Amino acid sequence: MARRFHKMHGLGNDFVILDAREEPLEIDSARARAIANRKTGIGCDQLIVLEPSSLADVRMRIFNADGGEVEACGNAARCVAILTGGGSIETAGGTISGSAHGSEATIDMGEPRFGWEEIPLAYPMDTAAMPVAWEELQNPFAVNVGNPHAVFFVADSDEVELARLGPQIENDPLFPSRVNVNVASLEDQAIRLRVWERGAGLTLACGTGACATAVAAISRGLASSPVEVRLPGGTLTVQWSRGSSILMSGPGTHVFTGEIAL
């Protein structure tokens, strides 16, 4: 059976979006991997499936390119808000909301979580400056913004061998649910960021990574809100203060619509 899909991206972080709100669709890990394959499928960093929700306007399910289902994706949330016109979005990481303004969207990502068991970590430690290191990457800030992130501040994020160190940190037993790895450096009044995404690898942009890094920088007094987060694919603006929700703003681009046999 042919199913219509949308190909969208947020700063180069690209998605295949399938709308299953009216016609149910069974997606498992193998099917998600097949769709995400860039040689034999459509190709994407994440597969997004929209379903009915009893809690929100729409339920958003997120599958990484490796087939694993994950809790949150900020760039995808912006694309979904633009595609659907905005509103509340149920995710496995909690209910968020978005408003669309043409090709731009602002997402209320909810409040960040800092407890070691909320990240989660394998055992208790200070999440604001974890007493751990992987070569030159030391003392990360851990935070959950719907999914788990470790944020490392370095002199020059471009100099870090993230393709090598990223998977080591992602799969370290310290992180029982694995982790997204962020390396950030300060640039003027902004943050320059590269992200190794759990289950997807290096991507041009990561919305939750931008949120996690902004929260870490503001918490450590390295940046003030709102702050620009500059990723390889472009720039996001993140606003946050302690005790409040994270607001993330940036573009989402509709590339094309097509059909796939499922």
Side-chain angles (χ1 to χ4, degrees), residues 26-154:
E26 290 295 325
I27 293 289
D28 57 16
S29 178
R31 178 168 279 184
R33 285 197 307 273
I35 293 171
N37 190 293
R38 296 190 184 278
K39 293 188 176 181
T40 58
I42 302 170
C44 59
D45 292 320
Q46 280 90 19
L47 169 67
I48 308 300
V49 182
L50 304 183
E51 296 179 343
S53 171
S54 60
L55 303 175
D57 295 320
V58 64
R59 180 187 182 203
M60 177 175 73
R61 296 179 67 193
I62 306 154
F63 296 86
N64 278 339
D66 67 354
E69 188 167 1
V70 296
E71 305 92 337
C73 180
N75 286 328
R78 291 200 317 280
C79 289
V80 168
I82 290 167
L83 188 66
T84 63
S88 55
I89 303 170
E90 177 191 352
T91 75
T95 299
I96 59 177
S97 62
S99 58
H101 319 281
S103 61
E104 300 273 330
T106 296
I107 303 296
D108 183 330
M109 298 290 292
E111 292 189 32
R113 300 189 289 275
F114 303 103
W116 70 270
E117 71 283 3
E118 297 174 303
I119 305 301
L121 303 179
Y123 46 85
M125 68 174 66
D126 179 8
T127 59
M130 295 171 61
V132 295
W134 292 265
E135 298 181 20
E136 74 269 26
L137 296 181
Q138 303 176 7
N139 305 119
F141 188 108
V143 60
N144 191 307
V145 292
N147 54 7
H149 285 264
V151 182
F152 298 87
F153 290 98
V154 297

Side-chain angles (χ1 to χ4, degrees), residues 137 150 152-154 157 160 162 181-185 192-195:
L137 296 181
F152 298 87
F153 290 98
V154 297
S157 60
V160 175
L162 193 53
V181 184
N182 305 264
V183 292
S185 51
R192 187 152 44 92
L193 176 65
R194 295 169 62 220
V195 184

Side-chain angles (χ1 to χ4, degrees), residues 163-221:
R164 179 176 63 84
L165 292 172
Q168 294 180 28
I169 301 170
E170 174 195 352
N171 295 289
D172 193 289
L174 177 58
F175 304 103
S177 298
R178 298 186 293 163
V179 75
N180 298 282
V181 184
N182 305 264
V183 292
S185 51
L186 303 178
E187 186 175 71
D188 304 320
Q189 301 299 311
I191 299 168
R192 187 152 44 92
L193 176 65
R194 295 169 62 220
V195 184
W196 176 271
E197 285 200 50
R198 178 183 56 164
L202 289 170
T203 57
L204 290 174
C206 177
T208 58
C211 291
T213 302
V215 166
I218 294 166
S219 295
R220 288 189 177 180

